Amino acid sequence: MKDGIHFTQRWLKGLAIALLLGAPLASADLITFDDLDPSEGSVSEQGYAGFNWDSRWGLGESGMSGFGDAAHSGSQFLFNQGFESNLEITRDNPFDFMGAYFASTSNYNNMSFWITLVAYDGQGNKVGELVDAQINPDFENQPLWIAADFTNVSRLVVDAAGGIFAMDSLQFRDTAVSVNEAGGFVLLLIGLGGLWAARRRVH
């Protein structure tokens, strides 16, 4: 009987340790746009990196006038062609948006100075907002990291409130499984373990 109790205790301790070790946040992924081939269609048509991109996003490269220093990695980036505002990025599976690099065009009359980011979950609830983050504070037109740390995002809206901007090196990760879902699975494992331990004591 004591052996059975001791085994159950050891099993539960082992399970707790395994859960602690196996439950870190998902590692971050980086979208650089450098492997996008313009001959295969727009970023929207290609469904790049598993996301749904607003058709108003344009694919730019560092050889374009006013964007010589806009790329953070490689030479390609996205930009709001035609001064478009409120451009969207969506995905069927929720994600955590950690941030991205933004830069203004160097063409003086088309410069952008602030960026606003608003995130929504699958039910349309606002889950994050960053208003008027400076992206061109010194007129240097260099890529500037804008951290957001929005979680459980299904739709991200990017707005520059006038001006033309570039976006590159978008960082995200898959949203972690909710505590309730994970808790149900843990209870199932504990129950199965208890039944197995009880059977072991009987035999």
Side-chain angles (χ1 to χ4, degrees):
M1 182 70 175
K2 290 182 178 180
D3 289 342
I5 293 174
H6 290 160
F7 171 80
T8 302
Q9 291 175 339
R10 289 195 300 270
W11 187 89
L12 290 175
K13 288 180 181 178
L15 175 62
I17 292 172
L19 288 171
L20 287 173
L21 293 176
L25 290 173
S27 59
D29 290 312
L30 189 67
I31 300 178
T32 65
F33 310 105
D34 290 314
D35 56 344
L36 264 171
D37 185 350
S39 68
E40 296 180 2
S42 66
V43 62
S44 174
E45 292 168 335
Q46 293 187 45
Y48 183 63
F51 284 80
N52 304 308
W53 304 88
D54 194 312
S55 61
R56 298 172 298 164
W57 284 110
L59 178 62
E61 54 88 22
S62 55
M64 292 172 53
S65 174
F67 287 105
D69 297 318
H72 173 257
S73 62
S75 61
Q76 295 192 155
F77 51 85
L78 295 190
F79 72 104
N80 61 328
Q81 54 186 353
F83 294 88
E84 295 289 351
S85 59
N86 294 317
L87 284 80
E88 297 189 356
I89 305 168
T90 65
R91 196 173 80 155
D92 295 335
N93 297 323
F95 63 98
D96 298 342
F97 174 68
M98 303 167 75
Y101 279 87
F102 291 90
S104 170
T105 175
S106 61
N107 293 329
Y108 185 80
N109 292 330
N110 301 332
M111 281 185 178
S112 180
F113 295 92
W114 300 275
I115 203 81
T116 292
L117 304 170
V118 185
Y120 300 89
D121 65 14
Q123 287 71 50
N125 302 308
K126 187 185 294 184
V127 294
E129 185 176 36
L130 184 62
V131 178
D132 291 341
Q134 285 192 329
I135 64 170
N136 190 20
D138 301 315
F139 290 79
E140 294 181 352
N141 311 308
Q142 298 289 325
L144 185 64
W145 171 253
I146 302 297
D149 295 326
F150 301 154
T151 60
N152 193 34
V153 179
S154 289
R155 179 166 62 100
L156 178 68
V157 181
V158 184
D159 183 24
I164 298 179
F165 67 91
M167 178 180 69
D168 197 8
S169 297
L170 185 153
Q171 195 171 29
F172 77 98
R173 65 181 170 227
D174 294 334
T175 296
V177 177
S178 71
V179 174
N180 289 337
E181 292 173 344
F185 183 64
V186 170
L187 289 175
L188 175 61
L189 286 178
I190 292 174
L192 291 173
L195 289 173
W196 188 78
R199 182 179 179 183
R200 181 183 172 91
R201 288 200 299 269
V202 171
H203 293 288

